[in-house]
Amino acid sequence: MPEESRPAPVGERREREGRLRYDYESRRLAFVRPRQSLPAVEQFARGLDAPICLTWELTYGCNLACVHCLSSSGRRDPMELSTDELLHVVDDLADMQVFYVNIGGGEPTLRPDFWDVVDHCVDSRVGVKFSTNGSRITPAIAQRLATTDYVDVQISIDGADAATNDAVRGDGTFAIATTAMQRLADAGFADFKVSVVVTRENADQLEDFVAVTDRYGAQLRLTRLRPSGRGADVWDRLHPTADQQRALYHWLLDHPRVLTGDSFFHLSALGEPLPGLNLCGAGRVVCLIDPIGDVYACPFVIDEQFKAGNVRDLGGFAKVWRESTLFAELREPESAGACASCGSYDACRGGCMAAKFFTGLPLDGPDPECVQGHGEAALLRATARPLVDAGHSHPVRSRSSGPVLVPLTRRTTADVG
């Protein structure tokens, strides 16, 4: 990319009484506020003029069938956004000065126009982080990524060894992922991310995950298992125990360089807050765009009740973000509800909306993994869990069948009804 066409090294946007700055080199966001303004967490809780970042699932097509997949990925939706529509969304995000997008799926690299979207994001000064299982990271692709500014890569694994990982992601997937990591390292891509969903089976492998990332010059990112998509079927079996949660909390405090994306703010009720905003950012600072353009408040709650609109509607994404009734409600001051009498509420804010919704708990109730034990009692009183729509996916395959290859073909705007 010519030097004069590159994005400025630091993105900046004013938000109410403060200023947001995003350093693309370190890929860290800072909120700079003048004296006597509200704390950053309160600024964010009231919502911003544009999301800091958003999750964008380009396709539900996937060549794997992970048992905990939150979007039940497997096959494409016939109404996926066309290439032209995807590029138009990028234009909207650039106009709104969105700092970066988390592109996922499914396996986003399966879309033939994936690189068109990435290139248009970079040219439009919208940073990109994309999640992949690594199956399509060839040496040539690794070299391309290492020489492209403002693009970050996240390789997903769910075990620090093949036995643990492949039980969740399919036979041979650990070897596929580590091969991709080696190719990125060989190409000189420093600090790419290795993303791990913490489960009961891998919670005792945290130091081993650090060793994996150190081996390839990468950075570890831990996320929480949510009971959404296929994750609803395995949550009871795979979510960490109370003892593992406490151990994870103390481990995260001792490893501040490990990224979490505020996945574990419910653990802050144990004492010292974890680094980050420590609140639910749904509809306030984050949201999700799905493959057919529907916009949801939270990347982990793909359900009709949390749909705010569609980017194909008049006004596009900007109108959904700024005028959605759902988002306006989420930006109102929260009620502590059933947690009002708990002294830890200010620390944990009641926990994760997705975890509560998909376990049948009220949204103003305790998190099902509440570290004070209130979630366990609430689960005993919970109503039936909501039905999870398999929607865009094939049924789960047994891992013995290996990865399921999904053929994709190029589409044009004429293919969209």
Side-chain angles (χ1 to χ4, degrees), residues 203-411:
D204 299 328
Q205 296 184 329
L206 299 179
E207 290 297 334
D208 296 327
F209 283 121
V210 172
V212 171
T213 56
D214 287 348
R215 187 180 311 142
Y216 300 105
Q219 188 172 13
L220 180 61
R221 182 176 188 269
L222 300 181
T223 61
R224 184 179 177 186
L225 176 68
R226 266 84 169 192
S228 56
R230 288 197 289 268
D233 297 327
V234 299
W235 189 82
D236 290 328
R237 174 170 61 88
L238 289 184
H239 78 91
T241 66
D243 287 343
Q244 287 175 326
Q245 287 200 86
R246 283 189 288 270
L248 172 62
Y249 165 75
H250 293 293
W251 190 88
L252 288 173
L253 288 178
D254 292 338
H255 296 77
R257 189 171 179 272
V258 173
L259 304 176
T260 65
D262 287 300
S263 289
F264 303 103
F265 64 90
H266 69 294
L267 298 181
S268 292
L270 288 169
E272 179 183 348
L274 294 172
L277 292 178
N278 283 303
L279 59 78
C280 173
R284 301 178 176 98
V285 297
V286 299
C287 66
L288 171 134
I289 302 175
D290 82 352
I292 63 173
D294 285 336
V295 180
Y296 293 89
C298 171
F300 306 104
V301 190
I302 307 172
D303 185 89
E304 195 70 21
Q305 295 185 48
F306 299 93
K307 187 170 72 175
N310 189 287
V311 300
R312 285 171 166 151
D313 295 338
L314 184 65
F317 175 76
K319 184 172 182 179
V320 176
W321 178 262
R322 292 168 177 163
E323 299 182 22
S324 160
T325 300
L326 171 65
F327 286 176
E329 292 173 352
L330 289 172
R331 294 164 189 167
E332 290 295 320
E334 292 180 294
S335 167
C339 298
S341 61
C342 179
S344 299
Y345 176 77
D346 287 342
C348 76
R349 300 287 182 123
C352 174
M353 177 174 74
K356 288 187 275 192
F357 177 74
F358 284 115
T359 52
L361 299 181
L363 298 186
D364 63 352
D367 189 291
E369 294 182 291
C370 169
V371 295
Q372 304 296 349
H374 303 306
E376 295 178 11
L379 285 173
L380 295 175
R381 302 189 300 270
T383 58
R385 297 182 183 183
L387 294 176
V388 179
D389 182 10
H392 312 281
S393 311
H394 289 303
V396 178
R397 281 93 172 165
S398 73
R399 67 184 185 93
S400 60
S401 63
V404 180
L405 300 179
V406 180
L408 300 180
T409 57
R410 183 175 294 278
R411 300 169 65 246

Side-chain angles (χ1 to χ4, degrees), residues 8-336:
V10 176
E12 180 173 302
R13 183 174 74 240
R14 293 190 61 81
E15 291 294 353
R16 297 200 176 137
E17 300 178 36
R19 189 169 70 254
L20 288 171
R21 302 177 72 244
Y22 183 74
D23 187 322
Y24 288 93
E25 299 300 328
S26 65
R27 300 181 178 89
R28 292 185 181 275
L29 184 77
F31 184 79
V32 182
R33 57 187 176 87
R35 286 174 144 185
Q36 298 181 338
S37 67
L38 292 172
V41 67
E42 293 188 32
Q43 295 273 359
F44 291 142
R46 295 182 178 188
L48 304 179
D49 292 337
I52 295 171
C53 67
L54 59 88
T55 298
W56 191 2
E57 296 184 341
L58 297 188
T59 181
Y60 286 136
C62 192
N63 53 358
L64 302 183
C66 302
V67 301
H68 62 351
C69 180
L70 67 90
S71 57
S72 299
S73 294
R75 58 183 169 87
R76 293 183 72 174
D77 188 295
M79 290 299 294
E80 279 182 4
L81 297 177
S82 68
T83 302
D84 287 347
E85 288 174 316
L86 294 176
L87 300 183
H88 183 72
V89 171
V90 174
D91 293 338
D92 282 351
L93 301 181
D95 289 343
M96 296 174 71
Q97 300 182 51
V98 171
F99 289 113
Y100 68 97
V101 292
N102 292 311
I103 294 179
E107 172 54 46
T109 62
L110 287 177
R111 276 198 65 141
D113 54 8
F114 170 74
W115 295 107
D116 296 329
V117 176
V118 171
D119 290 343
H120 193 53
C121 283
V122 173
D123 292 343
S124 303
R125 304 189 178 190
V126 177
V128 175
K129 177 187 294 182
F130 73 90
S131 298
T132 174
N133 56 42
S135 61
R136 296 168 67 86
I137 303 295
T138 64
I141 290 296
Q143 188 63 46
R144 174 177 181 168
L145 289 168
T147 55
T148 304
D149 290 326
Y150 316 129
V151 174
D152 201 5
V153 186
Q154 188 165 278
I155 306 292
S156 298
I157 59 174
D158 288 300
D161 54 63
T164 307
N165 176 85
D166 293 6
V168 172
R169 304 185 67 83
D171 289 341
T173 54
F174 186 74
I176 290 172
T178 52
T179 296
M181 295 178 203
Q182 186 63 62
R183 288 171 176 171
L184 289 169
D186 290 344
F189 196 123
D191 284 335
F192 65 88
K193 309 302 183 286
V194 175
S195 181
V196 176
V197 177
V198 179
T199 68
R200 192 170 303 179
E201 301 300 323
N202 67 26
D204 299 328
Q205 296 184 329
L206 299 179
E207 290 297 334
D208 296 327
F209 283 121
V210 172
V212 171
T213 56
D214 287 348
R215 187 180 311 142
Y216 300 105
Q219 188 172 13
L220 180 61
R221 182 176 188 269
L222 300 181
T223 61
R224 184 179 177 186
L225 176 68
R226 266 84 169 192
S228 56
R230 288 197 289 268
D233 297 327
V234 299
W235 189 82
D236 290 328
R237 174 170 61 88
L238 289 184
H239 78 91
T241 66
D243 287 343
Q244 287 175 326
Q245 287 200 86
R246 283 189 288 270
L248 172 62
Y249 165 75
H250 293 293
W251 190 88
L252 288 173
L253 288 178
D254 292 338
H255 296 77
R257 189 171 179 272
V258 173
L259 304 176
T260 65
D262 287 300
S263 289
F264 303 103
F265 64 90
H266 69 294
L267 298 181
S268 292
L270 288 169
E272 179 183 348
L274 294 172
L277 292 178
N278 283 303
L279 59 78
C280 173
R284 301 178 176 98
V285 297
V286 299
C287 66
L288 171 134
I289 302 175
D290 82 352
I292 63 173
D294 285 336
V295 180
Y296 293 89
C298 171
F300 306 104
V301 190
I302 307 172
D303 185 89
E304 195 70 21
Q305 295 185 48
F306 299 93
K307 187 170 72 175
N310 189 287
V311 300
R312 285 171 166 151
D313 295 338
L314 184 65
F317 175 76
K319 184 172 182 179
V320 176
W321 178 262
R322 292 168 177 163
E323 299 182 22
S324 160
T325 300
L326 171 65
F327 286 176
E329 292 173 352
L330 289 172
R331 294 164 189 167
E332 290 295 320
E334 292 180 294
S335 167

